[in-house]
């Protein structure tokens, strides 16, 4: 997973979609039957570095939505279960939640999401695949009920390449190292980078390190030996702390201050979990509505804040939304449904596909979802940890979307050939 704010952005996207179709929000959501969303996540096995916080972000936001009237007077109820990233368990929990009346699903696990994508399309049950799952889920024609609702990994890698090309001396003739965790997530951007390398004229070298990422010494030894001009880091989980600690120790031993511009400018990347240090504050992180979870907690309300991840890192991070893992879970719960109660999967899908220039009050780049594009434009920004806070290094924007969509269409064609 990425360091970006899946929670607030995710649930904001879904609640937006659900609310739009059903009308205005009454004062309190307590008199009508609840609308059930199923957040079937991995609390115990692979994504333990973020799931608790992510889920708490979802719960905080849903509490606020319910206190402000729910959706057309219907409160939202979350079904929260642990699938531990086992596809067979995820499928069983999906069946249970659907039988219980759930009309929307979030799995936060590529293996589970990938296993269920054909099923949710068949059942007309929308699912969000925020920061996980297959890239071709962005194609609404191929997967009408799956909504990445944010820049997929290839779009994020494209933004990093564009930033290097335009702001850091260009790509042509450069040696670029791609240091990545050796998993499906870590490999996802490679085809995009290889394709751009051919047109931009740079040399790409791949440096995988084994899952879960706690042992990277051999990988970084190879990186140092080949002396690349730029290093793109694509990691997740505990490996991120290992990478940051080793790099900072090495730079101190070589006499580089941690804030040294040359040191920082050589590393760009995406992290699933930042290493220890001060809490990261992303641009726009505090642009919440008047009823934001933290303010509500201080005022004695029932919304709770999950543990906030600590962050440090001196390299650029791709940020397609802002905030912490808790904020991510919030954002996905905000899609819009069309047609009024009772809320159905078809209505949520229709609502999603009317979202236009949605920013969650500055929390995320303008998101426009159409029947064909469930990624929403593939926009993001580059930000940098300056030792005290996250500072924006670019405006919101997208990059190489023609290449991104060429690869998506090729993936879909390959899938059809296999059937």
């Amino acid at each position: 997973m990425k360091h970006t704010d899946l929670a607030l952005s995710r649930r904001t996207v879904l609640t937006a979609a659900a609310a739009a179709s059903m009308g205005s929000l009454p004062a309190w959501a307590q008199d009508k039957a609840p609308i059930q969303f199923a957040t079937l996540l991995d609390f115990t096995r692979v994504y333990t570095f973020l799931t608790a916080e992510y889920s708490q972000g979802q719960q905080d936001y849903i509490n606020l939505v319910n206190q402000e009237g729910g959706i057309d007077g219907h409160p939202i109820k979350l079904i929260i279960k642990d699938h531990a990233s086992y596809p067979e368990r995820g499928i069983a929990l999906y069946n249970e939640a659907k039988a219980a009346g759930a009309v929307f699903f979030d799995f936060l696990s590529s293996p589970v999401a990938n296993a269920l994508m054909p099923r949710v399309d068949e059942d007309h049950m929308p699912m969000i695949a925020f920061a996980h799952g297959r890239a071709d889920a962005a194609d609404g024609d191929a997967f009408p009920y799956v909504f990445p609702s944010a820049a997929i990994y290839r779009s994020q890698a494209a933004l990093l390449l564009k930033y290097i090309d335009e702001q850091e001396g260009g790509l042509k003739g450069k040696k670029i190292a791609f240091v990545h965790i050796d998993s499906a997530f870590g490999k996802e951007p490679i085809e995009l980078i290889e394709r751009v390398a051919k047109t931009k004229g740079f040399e790409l070298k791949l440096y995988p390190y084994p899952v879960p990422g706690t042992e990277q010494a051999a990988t970084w030894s190879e990186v140092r030996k080949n002396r690349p001009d730029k290093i793109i880091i694509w990691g997740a989980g505990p490996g991120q702390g290992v990478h940051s600690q080793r790099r900072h120790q090495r730079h101190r031993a070589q006499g580089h201050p941690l804030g040294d511009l040359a040191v920082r400018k050589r590393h760009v990347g995406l992290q699933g979990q930042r290493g220890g240090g001060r809490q990261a504050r992303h641009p726009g992180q505090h642009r919440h509505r008047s009823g934001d979870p933290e303010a509500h907690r201080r005022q004695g309300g029932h919304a709770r804040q999950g543990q906030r991840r600590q962050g440090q890192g001196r390299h650029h991070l791709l940020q397609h939304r802002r905030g912490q893992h808790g904020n991510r879970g919030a954002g996905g719960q905000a899609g819009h449904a069309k047609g009024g109660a009772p809320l159905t999967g078809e209505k949520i899908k229709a609502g999603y596909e009317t979202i236009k220039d949605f920013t969650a009050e500055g929390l995320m780049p303008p998101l426009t979802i159409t029947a064909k594009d469930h990624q929403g434009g593939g926009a993001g920004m580059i930000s940098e940890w300056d030792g005290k806070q996250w500072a924006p290094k670019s405006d919101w924007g997208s990059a190489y979307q023609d290449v991104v969509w060429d690869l998506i269409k090729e993936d879909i064609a390959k899938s059809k050939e296999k059937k």
Side-chain angles (χ1 to χ4, degrees):
M1 293 294 304
K2 308 180 271 321
H3 86 287
T4 49
D5 23 332
L6 280 159
L8 187 49
S9 311
R10 275 186 182 222
R11 69 179 192 222
T12 307
V13 175
L14 171 19
T15 308
S21 75
M22 299 198 56
S24 60
L25 300 179
W28 290 95
Q30 56 186 4
D31 297 330
K32 298 183 179 180
I35 297 168
Q36 299 194 85
F37 295 162
T39 56
L40 312 175
L41 313 177
D42 174 6
F43 290 93
T44 55
R45 185 166 163 258
V46 178
Y47 296 103
T48 55
F49 62 92
L50 67 84
T51 307
E53 183 179 5
Y54 177 89
S55 178
Q56 186 61 64
Q58 292 180 321
Q59 294 172 63
D60 289 344
Y61 189 85
I62 294 305
N63 284 341
L64 290 174
V65 170
N66 286 338
Q67 289 170 29
E68 293 180 2
I71 299 174
D72 197 24
H74 293 265
I76 300 171
K77 178 183 176 183
L78 291 180
I79 299 172
I80 304 172
K81 298 279 182 73
D82 174 34
H83 55 54
S85 280
Y86 290 114
E88 63 276 12
R89 187 181 299 178
I91 292 169
L93 291 176
Y94 165 78
N95 289 334
E96 289 178 12
K98 186 165 69 76
V103 294
F104 170 83
F105 295 83
D106 182 2
F107 301 107
L108 193 60
S109 162
S110 291
V112 176
N114 291 348
L116 278 160
M117 280 171 57
R119 179 69 179 276
V120 300
D121 278 333
E122 180 182 327
D123 293 342
H124 292 193
M125 287 288 143
M127 63 173 272
I128 196 164
F130 219 55
H132 69 282
R134 290 166 49 174
D136 53 0
D139 189 322
D141 288 334
F143 296 101
Y145 283 83
V146 183
F147 292 88
S149 307
I152 60 175
Y153 294 140
R154 289 169 179 168
S155 293
Q156 295 172 37
L159 281 166
L160 291 172
L161 293 174
K162 181 182 178 182
Y163 185 82
I164 295 171
D165 195 26
E166 295 182 352
Q167 305 296 328
E168 297 202 349
L171 289 167
K172 188 174 179 60
K174 293 286 195 305
K175 287 198 302 183
I176 295 182
F178 183 67
V179 181
H180 65 96
I181 190 166
D182 195 12
S183 66
F185 158 72
K187 297 173 184 177
E188 182 69 25
I190 292 175
E191 283 188 293
L192 180 283
I193 301 174
E194 290 175 336
R195 195 71 58 92
V196 176
K198 291 178 181 179
T199 59
K200 288 292 183 178
F202 64 86
E203 179 186 355
L204 173 65
K205 286 283 200 177
L206 305 178
Y207 298 92
Y209 57 81
V211 177
T214 51
E215 180 47 61
Q216 302 179 26
T219 299
W220 284 100
S221 177
E222 287 298 310
V223 173
R224 289 193 298 273
K225 185 188 304 180
N226 290 297
R227 300 185 62 81
D229 298 296
K230 295 290 180 183
I231 303 170
I232 297 177
I233 302 160
W234 204 272
Q240 293 307 100
V242 172
H243 147 255
S244 296
Q245 291 168 11
R246 285 186 178 276
R247 183 162 54 84
H248 291 169
Q249 289 168 0
R250 184 171 69 255
H251 290 160
R252 283 196 297 268
Q254 295 171 349
H256 295 297
L258 288 182
D260 182 84
L261 187 64
V263 172
R264 286 188 285 119
K265 290 291 185 183
R266 193 159 168 262
H267 298 80
V268 297
L270 176 74
Q271 297 193 93
Q273 176 186 8
R274 295 171 293 283
R278 296 184 183 181
Q279 180 174 335
R281 296 288 184 186
H282 304 291
Q285 183 174 341
H286 298 295
R287 295 183 196 171
H288 297 306
R289 46 197 276 202
S290 59
D292 72 274
E294 179 61 21
H296 187 77
R297 184 188 64 79
R298 289 196 302 269
Q299 294 165 10
H302 298 293
R304 297 172 295 166
Q305 284 292 89
Q307 176 187 0
R308 295 300 180 220
R309 297 286 175 190
Q310 301 298 305
Q312 73 177 24
R314 305 283 176 164
H315 51 281
H316 301 294
L317 297 173
L318 175 67
Q319 188 179 339
H320 63 282
R321 286 162 306 280
R322 305 172 186 168
Q324 310 270 357
H325 294 310
N327 286 345
R328 303 182 197 174
Q333 301 298 322
H336 296 293
K338 295 188 69 176
L343 190 60
T344 65
E346 289 86 352
K347 291 176 183 177
I348 292 177
K349 175 186 183 296
Y352 256 113
E353 292 171 351
T354 64
I355 292 176
K356 183 176 177 60
D357 294 329
F358 178 73
T359 67
E361 298 185 18
L363 182 70
M364 57 199 296
L367 182 71
T368 296
I369 295 178
T370 68
K372 292 184 177 296
D373 179 10
H374 285 186
Q375 177 189 214
M381 77 157 52
I382 303 294
S383 65
E384 182 180 53
W385 178 250
D386 65 9
K388 295 181 180 179
Q389 61 184 358
W390 290 102
K393 304 298 290 185
S394 74
D395 295 328
W396 295 119
S398 59
Y400 306 123
Q401 285 299 296
D402 55 340
V403 181
V404 170
W405 280 93
D406 283 347
L407 289 169
I408 287 172
K409 295 300 183 182
E410 289 171 18
D411 286 347
I412 292 169
K414 291 174 185 175
S415 296
K416 289 180 179 178
E417 288 176 3
K418 292 179 181 178
K419 291 181 179 179

